[in-house]
Structure formats: structure tokens, C-alpha cells
Amino acid sequence: MDNPMLLKSTTRHIRIFAGEIDSHGELVPSDQVLTLDVDPDNEFNWNEDALQKIYHKFDELVEGSSGADLTDYNLRRIGSDLEHYMRSLLQKGEISYNLTARVTNYSMGLPQVAAL
């Protein structure tokens, strides 16, 4: 590609870029590589298992889209599906809100409070 346009999907908690980070830390557009940024504002508390579930789901969604054109629409669909999956992890208690985050707006619903 001579001058590829950077395709991206950004939701509140998932950002997908059609590009890769070069050795200088710059994002270089690519039609062969997708880069995933999970929870860029650190709104949630993550453990390695939950994060790996997000990466695995991302791989599944990308594989399910193989053969389709790389478009903004297809990236947004993957991003939206990942956002919903992240919500399910929150509802199951596999991740939790980071109460020390810069902003706590409970964008995926109010936190669950355990009954005593």
C-alpha cells in the first residue's frame, strides 16, 4: 500500500486499529494486522485470565470475519461484539470497576453489591 488510510473502531472500552506499532512506537496503517487496545482508560480491574479471554474472543471474531473486506463497518462490529463480551465478564464478576480510575461512571451498569 502506498499511503494506506488508518481504519479503526473505537468504543468506550475497546479500540481496534488496522495497523501495527513500529519500532519507534508509531502506529503504521496496515491491511494485514489488527492492533487491539483493551480498556485504555483503566476503568476496570483485570486479571490475566480475563484479559486472555478478551484476546481469545477477539481472535475468534477476526477469524469469523476472514474473507470479508477490511472496512470500518466490520471493525466496528468486532469492537461492539467485544464490548458486549466485556460486559458479560463484568456481570459474571470476572472483572470489576476500578474505583481509583480517573473517572468512575459505571458505563456498563451499576456495580453489583453482594448481600450480607
Side-chain angles (χ1 to χ4, degrees):
M1 299 177 89
D2 292 286
N3 190 14
M5 182 175 76
L6 180 64
L7 295 177
K8 62 184 175 181
S9 165
T10 57
T11 66
R12 175 145 178 91
H13 308 102
I14 299 289
R15 296 181 184 159
I16 304 170
F17 303 95
E20 59 188 321
I21 307 295
D22 69 9
S23 61
H24 303 292
E26 299 292 322
L27 186 63
V28 178
S30 170
D31 62 353
Q32 301 296 314
V33 176
L34 296 178
T35 297
L36 175 64
D37 186 7
V38 177
D39 189 22
D41 295 322
N42 297 316
E43 189 173 339
F44 299 98
N45 295 312
W46 291 91
N47 59 53
E48 190 59 32
D49 185 49
L51 198 52
Q52 288 305 314
K53 287 180 179 183
I54 291 288
Y55 293 138
H56 180 72
K57 185 67 168 179
F58 175 69
D59 290 342
E60 283 179 7
L61 293 167
V62 170
E63 181 66 29
S65 298
S66 67
D69 290 337
L70 182 60
T71 63
D72 281 329
Y73 175 80
N74 289 337
L75 285 182
R76 282 193 309 268
R77 187 176 40 85
I78 292 170
S80 179
D81 288 348
L82 277 176
E83 187 91 5
H84 290 297
Y85 184 67
M86 186 183 294
R87 177 177 283 120
S88 76
L89 294 178
L90 179 65
Q91 291 171 341
K92 293 178 196 171
E94 295 185 39
I95 61 173
S96 61
Y97 282 109
N98 176 4
L99 299 179
T100 63
R102 184 176 51 88
V103 176
T104 52
N105 67 1
Y106 308 119
S107 59
M108 291 195 167
L110 292 175
Q112 295 180 9
V113 178
L116 298 175

